[in-house]
Amino acid sequence: MRSIAGGGLREEVLDFDYTEEQRLLAESVTRFVKDRYGFAARKKFMAEPQGFAAANWAQFAALGLLALPFPEAHGGIGGGAVETMIVMENFGRGLVLEPYLATVILCGGLISLAGSDAQRQTILPAIAEGKLMLAFAQGERHSRYALDHVETGAKKDGTGFVLNGHKNVVLHGGSAGKFIVTARTAGAARDAKGVSLFLVDREAKGVSVRDYPTVDGLRAAEVTLENVRLGADALLGPLDNALPLIEHAIDRAIAALCAEAVGIMETLNAMTLEYLKTRKQFGVAIGSFQVLQHRMVDMTIAAEQAKSMAILAALSADDPDPGARRRAISAAKVQIGQSGRLVGQEAIQLHGGIGMTDEYAAGHYFKRLSTIEKTFGDTDYHLERFPAFA
Amino acid sequence: MDLAYTKEEQEFRAEVRAFLKEKLPPDLSRKVLDGKHMTRDGMMRWHRILFEKGWIAPAWPKEYGGADWSIIQRHIYDEEAAEAGAPAVLPFGLVMCGPVIIKYGSDKQKAFFLPRILSGEHVWCQGYSEPGSGSDLASLKTKAERDGDKYRVNGQKTWTSAAKWADWIFCLVRTDPAAKKQEGISFLLIDMKTPGIRVRPIVTIDGGAEVNETFLDDVMVPVENRIGEENKGWTYAKYLLGNERTSIAQVGGSKRELKKLKAVARAEEMDRDRRFRDKVAQLEIDLMGLELSNLRMIAGLRDGRGPGAEASILKIKGSEIQQRLTELTFEALGPLALPFQREALEEGWNEEIIGPDYAPPAAPRYFNMRKTTIYGGSNEIQKNILAKAVLGL
C-alpha cells in the first residue's frame, strides 16, 4: 500500500496489502506495544516527570521510528503516510503517551516541508536520533480550530524578528526543546496571507511554558512569548505565506490521528466483545441478548468505516492537489469523529459501571477518542471544510 | 387542561424562592453552578439549614418530622432549588432508607433512626450492587448467617456512593441460599463503625472518587437491625427503588445545565455557529418534552395514578438529555476543554485557571455523566420494563 505522487487512491486503489518492509515495520511496532505498553506500564510512564518514558523514546529511535518519515538525505528512512499509519494504529492500541505526533509527524513534517537545507540538516537528524523534541505552538485563545487565526505577532527587528503572543494547548509543549511558532508578519487575525513560521528555542529569553496533563492522560502546555528576539535564520519557510504548508502538515497529522483512532476503536471493540462473552447476568452471558448483539455489530461497522477512511487519509495525505487532499482528510476526520464517539460511548455503556472506573482500560480509550475528535478540527469543523458542492 | 398552578401553589413557589434567596449560602450555590465538587461539610451545612426550616424530608408524613408536601409542592421545590443552585441533599437516608423504615420498620427502629436521618447526625449509604450483581440485582451473594442474636455478614458491595462519609449502610444480604433468588434476601441496617467493614474508593474516569467498594468480613449485626421479616427483603428493596424513580427525570438540573451551556456557547461565540445552534435547539426541544411528560406523571400521582412504567420513560429521556448537555458543553469549548484541571474543581483552589473559568469542569462532567444511562437501572433494563409492562411484548 503506497501513497504516491499523482494520488494513490486513483491508481492503486486495489492494493491494500502491505509491502514486505511495511509488514516488518508493523510487526516491530506491534511487538513493542504488546511487550512494553501494557495498561499498568502506561500508568507508570504517565507518572514520570515529562508524562511519558524517556526509555521508550530511546527505543523508538533504535527502532528507526523517529527517522521514519524523513528523507534519506537527512538521515531519514523515507517512509510515507502509510508507514505513519502503521505506527500510529499500533500506538493507538497501547494509548502511547510519547510525543511522536508532535515531534516527528507535525514538527518534523513542517521542517521537511518548509525548512531550508540548513534547518533540515540540523534538526531532522537530531529528531531521528532522539535528541530533540519539538512542539507546534499554533492554537490561540480565540482560534478554536482555524489555522489562519493567528494573533501572535512577529515584528521586523533589524534583520530578525520580535515575537509576542500566547499559545494555548500546545501538544507536548512541556517536553519540547524547540517550538515551531505560528506568528503574524502581516495582515489581521484571520487573513490567510501574513502567517509565518518561526523556530524558537525553549530556553530563549521571553519564552515561558506552563506544562499540564490533558484529560486523556497526555500532556500539553501554555506557551507565552514576550519580546522574544529571533535572528533571520529562525524563519521557517516563506515569509507571510506559510499557511499552505501548515495545512499540509496538519493534514498529515490528521491522517496519523485517524490511524491512532482506528487502533483505539479496534482495541475497544475487542475488549467490549470479550466482556459481552464473559459477563454473566440473569444466568447467561450478556452477549446472548440480541439488543446488545446489535449494538456490538454497530460498533464493528463504525470501526470498519473508520478504518477505510483512515486508509483513504493516509493514501491522500501527500496528494499534490491540495483540494483533493483536503477533501479526503476532512472526510476521514468526520468519519473518525463520528465512529469514535459511537464506539467510545457504547463501549462504556456495554461495560456498565466497570467501564466508568479509572482502573479499567476502556475508559482511557474512550477519553483518548474524545480528545482526538477535538484535535485539528472537530466533526463539525471538517463537515464545514468538506467541499460537498464544489 | 391547564398548565397554570393554583393560587396556593404559586404562593408556595414564592415562599420557596424567598427562602432560597435568604438561606442558601452563596458559596455553596456558586460551587453547584460552577460544576465544582461538593464536600461533606458543604452538603451537610445545607442539610442542617433545611432541617431547621422543617423542609429536609418533603415527602415524609408530619408525624415523623417530614414536611408532608403534596407531589406538586415537591415538584415546585425541586424546580426552584435546582435553578437556585442548591446542593443536592444525600438521598440515601432521606429518600431511600427513611421511607422503608417508616413503612416497614419497628417502632424502636423508627424512634432511633428517623430523627437522626432528619438532623443529619447519621449519613447513610446504600449496599445494593455487588461486583457480580448489577442489572441482575437479585443474584446478590453477600451472605448473612444467624449467630445467636446477631447476623454474621460476609461479602462485598460496590458503587457505594458516600461510603467514606456514611455512618450507616442499608444492605441487601442473602439469608436463605436455598430459596429462589428473590426469596432469600433480607434488608439489614449496619453501623459503618462495626469491625470488619472496609471502604475502598473507586476512582472514576473523570478523576473523581464519589463511589466506593465496601467489603464486609465477619461483620456482626444485631438481628434487631433487620427491617421487617427475614427473607422478605426483596419486597422492601422494590419499594425503595420505586421511591427513587419519582425524581428520575432531573428536569430542574437539566434546565440549569442548559442555561450554563448557552452561556458557555455565547462566550465562545458558538451561538453564531449554525450547526451548533441546531444541536442546542434540538436539545432544548427534547427537554421541553421531558418537562411536560414529567408534569403529566406528577399530575397523575396527584390524582392517585401511577407512577407506572412511565417512570422508565422519564429515566431514559432524562439521562440521555443530561448526557447530551455535557457533551455539547465539551464540544462548545473546542480545544480549551483539553487541560485536565481536577484540582480546580476542589475547595480551596485559587491558582490561575488555564483558559476560561468555565473550562475545568467540561471534560470531567462529560466523562462522569456517562454513568446516568448505567445507574438506577440501566437504560437497557428500563427498555425491558417498558417492552414487557407497557407494550406487553
Side-chain angles (χ1 to χ4, degrees):
Chain A
M1 200 192 301
R2 291 168 74 187
S3 78
I4 54 165
L9 186 68
R10 285 188 289 274
E11 291 177 14
E12 298 201 8
V13 72
L14 289 179
D15 175 18
F16 290 114
D17 295 329
Y18 287 161
T19 63
E20 180 62 13
E21 285 87 0
Q22 288 169 343
R23 205 180 50 72
L24 290 172
L25 172 68
E27 265 179 31
S28 88
V29 190
T30 305
R31 197 175 321 120
F32 168 81
V33 170
K34 220 174 152 214
D35 295 350
R36 298 276 299 271
Y37 237 98
F39 185 55
R42 179 180 184 265
K43 209 168 179 178
K44 275 191 205 143
F45 302 152
M46 211 189 294
E48 293 195 23
Q50 289 185 304
F52 57 83
N56 289 336
W57 199 249
Q59 184 71 15
F60 292 173
L63 290 171
L65 302 182
L66 303 182
L68 188 62
F70 304 145
E72 288 163 42
H74 300 296
I77 293 173
V82 174
E83 283 72 23
T84 298
M85 176 181 82
I86 290 168
V87 173
M88 291 300 291
E89 197 178 301
N90 283 293
F91 280 3
R93 294 181 202 284
L95 291 178
V96 164
L97 300 160
E98 283 70 21
Y100 191 77
L101 185 79
T103 295
V104 179
I105 307 301
L106 252 183
C107 291
L110 281 166
I111 305 275
S112 295
L113 289 167
S116 65
D117 273 348
Q119 286 166 333
R120 291 186 199 184
Q121 209 61 260
T122 47
I123 294 175
L124 296 182
I127 295 176
E129 290 164 27
K131 289 179 184 156
L132 177 66
M133 293 177 192
L134 295 97
F136 187 34
Q138 177 263 322
E140 298 182 1
R141 173 68 184 87
H142 299 289
S143 61
R144 200 169 170 85
Y145 303 115
L147 298 175
D148 55 3
H149 188 113
V150 178
E151 292 184 62
T152 295
K155 278 214 176 88
K156 266 280 190 194
D157 175 44
T159 59
F161 300 87
V162 181
L163 266 59
N164 277 290
H166 182 87
K167 296 295 186 177
N168 277 86
V169 197
V170 176
L171 301 177
H172 281 112
S175 48
K178 281 183 195 296
F179 295 104
I180 298 177
V181 177
T182 56
R184 190 155 283 290
T185 39
R190 290 224 172 179
D191 289 347
K193 198 171 149 57
V195 178
S196 306
L197 290 169
F198 296 91
L199 270 163
V200 179
D201 262 13
R202 190 215 169 98
E203 302 304 329
K205 197 162 171 260
V207 176
S208 53
V209 178
R210 182 176 173 188
D211 174 37
Y212 50 80
T214 46
V215 296
D216 52 11
L218 275 67
R219 306 289 281 222
E222 301 293 289
V223 177
T224 307
L225 305 149
E226 212 181 334
N227 293 319
V228 178
R229 291 180 183 280
L230 302 172
D233 59 350
L235 181 70
L236 178 70
L239 185 72
D240 293 345
N241 285 314
L243 195 59
L245 297 168
I246 295 170
E247 285 176 344
H248 189 179
I250 292 280
D251 281 349
R252 284 179 173 175
I254 290 173
L257 270 181
C258 289
E260 183 187 347
V262 166
I264 293 173
M265 283 185 238
E266 289 184 351
T267 309
L268 209 38
N269 278 352
M271 285 174 68
T272 308
L273 180 60
E274 179 63 22
Y275 191 78
L276 291 182
K277 287 179 177 170
T278 49
R279 169 72 174 177
K280 288 204 164 124
Q281 290 285 272
F282 307 103
V284 293
I286 59 174
S288 66
F289 299 126
Q290 196 172 41
V291 160
L292 302 190
Q293 288 171 0
H294 285 193
R295 304 263 288 269
M296 189 73 239
V297 168
D298 286 340
M299 292 162 74
T300 307
I301 294 170
E304 275 304 310
Q305 286 283 91
K307 185 171 184 120
S308 296
M309 292 303 267
I311 290 171
L312 174 67
L315 295 177
S316 312
D318 290 306
D319 195 308
D321 173 1
R325 186 192 76 217
R326 212 169 293 159
R327 181 181 157 82
I329 295 290
S330 281
K333 190 67 167 58
V334 167
Q335 182 64 59
I336 291 289
Q338 291 168 343
S339 291
R341 204 181 282 208
L342 180 116
V343 168
Q345 293 180 351
E346 288 286 73
I348 302 288
Q349 183 69 25
L350 296 196
H351 274 90
I354 191 79
M356 287 295 300
T357 65
D358 185 67
E359 58 195 54
Y360 192 76
H364 297 264
Y365 287 90
F366 159 66
K367 289 197 278 187
R368 180 64 187 143
L369 285 173
S370 307
T371 61
I372 285 176
E373 192 185 354
K374 279 186 170 300
T375 308
F376 310 136
D378 63 10
T379 302
D380 279 2
Y381 175 87
H382 285 284
L383 272 172
E384 183 69 32
R385 189 181 183 242
F386 182 80
F389 290 95
Chain B
M1 201 177 286
D2 187 356
L3 281 174
Y5 288 93
T6 64
K7 187 165 163 290
E8 291 74 25
E9 285 160 357
Q10 287 175 39
E11 283 166 5
F12 177 73
R13 188 184 290 278
E15 188 191 352
V16 171
R17 210 171 274 182
F19 165 76
L20 289 165
K21 200 167 171 222
E22 191 195 345
K23 297 287 188 186
L24 176 59
D27 63 311
L28 295 183
S29 56
R30 194 68 263 149
K31 272 177 122 175
V32 171
L33 296 171
D34 290 347
K36 298 201 171 154
H37 290 155
M38 195 55 66
T39 60
R40 181 188 198 277
D41 284 354
M43 228 176 241
M44 294 318 289
R45 186 145 51 99
W46 180 232
H47 183 115
R48 277 188 297 275
I49 292 168
L50 288 169
F51 171 62
E52 278 156 25
K53 175 78 178 168
W55 285 4
I56 190 64
W60 291 19
K62 276 246 157 62
E63 56 171 313
Y64 297 112
D68 204 13
W69 283 343
S70 71
I71 181 81
I72 302 288
Q73 284 177 307
R74 270 144 61 188
H75 170 71
I76 289 171
Y77 175 82
D78 286 346
E79 252 186 1
E80 292 297 325
E83 184 170 350
V89 174
L90 285 174
F92 309 107
L94 290 161
V95 184
M96 297 182 176
C97 194
V100 170
I101 295 173
I102 289 173
K103 190 165 169 81
Y104 299 106
S106 66
D107 287 344
K108 201 174 158 196
Q109 286 168 341
K110 287 180 193 172
F112 180 73
F113 289 113
L114 296 180
R116 288 170 175 82
I117 291 174
L118 290 172
S119 69
E121 184 187 332
H122 286 175
V123 171
W124 282 79
C125 63
Q126 178 187 34
Y128 268 33
S129 296
E130 295 180 7
S133 305
S135 290
D136 183 12
L137 179 61
S139 69
L140 60 94
K141 290 198 177 68
T142 295
K143 62 176 179 186
E145 296 157 304
R146 272 301 275 271
D147 186 346
D149 59 354
K150 293 193 169 170
Y151 287 107
R152 179 186 297 276
V153 181
N154 278 289
Q156 183 191 344
K157 295 293 176 179
T158 194
W159 316 128
T160 342
S161 304
K164 59 190 167 181
W165 298 342
D167 305 290
W168 285 79
I169 181 169
F170 57 92
C171 270
L172 293 181
V173 295
R174 188 158 302 283
T175 34
D176 183 357
K180 261 176 62 183
K181 61 182 182 178
Q182 283 89 349
E183 287 166 14
I185 293 170
S186 298
F187 193 112
L188 295 186
L189 313 179
I190 306 177
D191 186 338
M192 287 294 280
K193 286 187 295 292
T194 319
I197 297 183
R198 192 162 53 87
V199 173
R200 194 183 77 99
I202 299 174
V203 177
T204 41
I205 54 175
D206 55 305
E210 56 188 12
V211 287
N212 304 273
E213 288 178 295
T214 303
F215 300 91
L216 303 113
D217 287 313
D218 285 333
V219 175
M220 302 306 290
V221 181
V223 169
E224 61 177 16
N225 284 359
R226 187 189 68 221
I227 291 283
E229 293 174 49
E230 192 172 79
N231 297 330
K232 289 274 185 271
W234 191 247
T235 307
Y236 318 139
K238 276 198 305 189
Y239 174 74
L240 182 152
L241 290 174
N243 285 331
E244 197 184 359
R245 282 186 189 137
T246 50
S247 57
I248 210 88
Q250 292 291 327
V251 173
S254 287
K255 282 168 84 174
R256 185 180 69 215
E257 292 299 314
L258 178 66
K259 253 192 208 169
K260 248 168 66 183
L261 164 61
K262 287 184 181 179
V264 169
R266 270 194 208 99
E268 293 300 314
E269 299 184 357
M270 291 302 285
D271 55 330
R272 296 188 208 163
D273 183 305
R274 175 121 219 163
R275 285 198 172 87
F276 193 78
R277 232 166 46 206
D278 279 359
K279 289 189 234 186
V280 175
Q282 185 62 61
L283 181 57
E284 182 161 2
I285 293 162
D286 268 4
L287 181 53
M288 287 164 73
L290 178 70
E291 184 175 11
L292 266 290
S293 297
N294 194 42
L295 284 171
R296 283 168 57 214
M297 183 189 76
I298 285 166
L301 286 169
R302 177 195 59 197
D303 303 340
R305 295 189 309 264
E310 66 263 43
S312 292
I313 298 178
L314 297 178
K315 157 77 200 318
I316 291 167
K317 283 309 290 181
S319 56
E320 287 173 355
I321 287 170
Q322 282 178 284
Q323 289 185 336
R324 190 73 181 136
L325 282 161
T326 59
E327 197 174 357
L328 288 183
T329 307
F330 180 65
E331 201 173 308
L333 274 156
L336 300 172
L338 292 179
F340 183 47
Q341 309 181 68
R342 190 168 70 92
E343 300 85 351
L345 304 179
E346 304 297 342
E347 198 161 82
W349 171 262
N350 38 32
E351 281 180 47
E352 195 191 338
I353 284 170
I354 299 157
D357 57 6
Y358 45 78
R365 297 267 306 156
Y366 169 48
F367 299 153
N368 181 274
M369 293 310 267
R370 303 316 304 169
K371 71 188 176 189
T372 62
T373 47
I374 297 169
Y375 70 24
S378 73
N379 285 20
E380 289 76 20
I381 291 292
Q382 304 294 345
K383 286 182 185 176
N384 283 346
I385 293 170
L386 288 167
K388 287 199 182 81
V390 176
L391 304 178
L393 289 169

